[in-house]
Amino acid sequence: MADDKNPFPGENNTGHVWDDNIRELNNPIPRWWMIGFWASIIWWVAYGLLYPMIPLANDWTKGMLGWTMTGEYQEAVEEITAVRAQFEDQISALSAKEILADEGLTSYTIASARVLFGDNCAACHGSAGQGNPGFPVLADDDWLYGGSIEAIEQTLINGRRGMMIAHGKMLSDQEISTLANFVVGWSQGQEDPAGAQLYKDKGCFGCHGQDGKGLQMLGSANLTDAIWRFNEADKVAGAAYTIRHGVNDPSDPQTREAVMPAFKDRLSENDIKKLAVYVYSLGGGQ
């Protein structure tokens, strides 16, 4: 636009005017902005020379420093391993029981076992040992095979597979109902002479004991503590189902399944000790 037609003559604008007074000025870019612009280009070039940056057909530019994220990760792991080595060496030389006798080593073991527990145990037993449906609670004092550190360690090493035979073909529906009501009432402190007699007559005490508290050598359940592995809302119906179909009984396709896998071939000896100490801290001690 010629200056004589420019409504703002003498102003450093491009001559582009909209709505009578909105115009495009022709001022130079601020010096600080240009410095930042060229500095960013220099920084980009320097970064590309020093670090991996540009992908190629089958490779990438390595950078003059030879830095990689994997290398940095490995260095960090080596640093952590060096710090932990003194504790790991002690764990290797001690039994799980001896670890518990050392307060500082126990604290380290429990802290380092949390990830192990989350990776290997939490799916069944819950993130805090509270037990998911159909799986044992680890945060109480009820232990089928005993809650000593030695018993817990053996459970982790060899696993557990309890067995209760299915009584559906041995007992009548009425007898199963009587026994189910008896054991649920027993756990609540109720007395049922007829149920108690049937409990004895059918030999239930052979596995669960005369007092109903179970036998750790067999891993049989304590029937008097109101703690139920298969904790259905209807306790009587749940107990009747277990009596009828048993637990891990291969002869009954509807049997309850209750298997703890062995970890001796999955985890190192140190990891098993750590888990034993961790689980013991949740609720062991018997």
Side-chain angles (χ1 to χ4, degrees), residues 84-99:
R84 297 175 61 178
Q86 57 176 317
F87 299 104
E88 296 294 327
D89 290 344
Q90 292 182 63
I91 291 173
S92 296
L94 300 175
S95 67
K97 187 173 184 178
E98 290 171 330
I99 293 171

Side-chain angles (χ1 to χ4, degrees), residues 162-168 170 202 207 241-252 255:
M163 172 68 176
M164 175 175 170
I165 61 174
H167 290 78
M170 306 176 191
K202 298 303 178 180
C207 292
Y241 186 96
T242 302
I243 295 170
R244 186 182 304 279
H245 299 291
V247 179
N248 294 328
D249 187 337
S251 69
D252 191 322
T255 191

Side-chain angles (χ1 to χ4, degrees), residues 27 51 99 125 153 157 164 186 210 213 215 230 233 260:
N27 293 332
Y51 293 96
I99 293 171
H125 297 288
E153 189 172 14
I157 292 172
M164 175 175 170
W186 203 0
Q210 293 284 0
K213 296 187 182 299
L215 302 175
F230 306 102
M260 162 77 182

Side-chain angles (χ1 to χ4, degrees), residues 153-263:
E153 189 172 14
Q154 284 304 306
T155 297
L156 288 165
I157 292 172
N158 299 314
R160 300 289 185 183
R161 186 183 182 90
M163 172 68 176
M164 175 175 170
I165 61 174
H167 290 78
K169 297 180 180 179
M170 306 176 191
L171 302 175
S172 67
D173 290 344
Q174 182 57 51
E175 288 173 329
I176 290 175
S177 177
T178 298
L179 282 173
N181 279 280
F182 166 68
V183 296
V184 172
W186 203 0
S187 71
Q188 298 170 351
Q190 302 171 10
E191 296 185 6
D192 178 6
Q197 188 60 50
L198 188 61
Y199 177 86
K200 294 178 182 179
D201 292 345
K202 298 303 178 180
C204 304
F205 61 86
C207 292
H208 296 283
Q210 293 284 0
D211 58 2
K213 296 187 182 299
L215 302 175
Q216 287 186 355
M217 62 181 295
L218 299 177
S220 54
N222 184 343
L223 303 177
T224 67
D225 59 5
I227 297 175
W228 303 93
R229 165 69 182 276
F230 306 102
N231 192 21
E232 291 95 346
D234 189 335
K235 300 294 187 295
V236 174
Y241 186 96
T242 302
I243 295 170
R244 186 182 304 279
H245 299 291
V247 179
N248 294 328
D249 187 337
S251 69
D252 191 322
Q254 299 184 65
T255 191
R256 303 270 200 190
E257 292 186 6
V259 178
M260 162 77 182
F263 284 88

Side-chain angles (χ1 to χ4, degrees), residues 75-88:
E75 289 177 6
V77 170
E78 290 172 1
E79 291 177 4
I80 295 172
T81 300
V83 172
R84 297 175 61 178
Q86 57 176 317
F87 299 104
E88 296 294 327

Side-chain angles (χ1 to χ4, degrees), residues 5-83:
K5 296 182 179 181
N6 190 332
F8 301 95
E11 184 182 56
N12 188 25
N13 62 58
T14 64
H16 298 156
V17 180
W18 299 268
D19 295 336
D20 296 331
N21 62 357
I22 299 176
R23 63 270 192 200
E24 179 184 3
L25 300 181
N26 195 23
N27 293 332
I29 296 174
R31 183 178 297 276
W32 65 266
W33 192 96
M34 290 301 298
I35 292 173
F37 172 73
W38 288 110
S40 66
I41 293 176
I42 294 170
W43 180 89
W44 180 85
V45 172
Y47 185 94
L49 292 173
L50 295 174
Y51 293 96
M53 182 176 183
I54 303 174
L56 305 175
N58 298 309
D59 203 355
W60 62 89
T61 56
K62 299 293 191 287
M64 297 171 62
L65 296 180
W67 177 92
T68 64
M69 293 182 65
T70 301
E72 183 170 310
Y73 164 76
Q74 290 173 341
E75 289 177 6
V77 170
E78 290 172 1
E79 291 177 4
I80 295 172
T81 300
V83 172

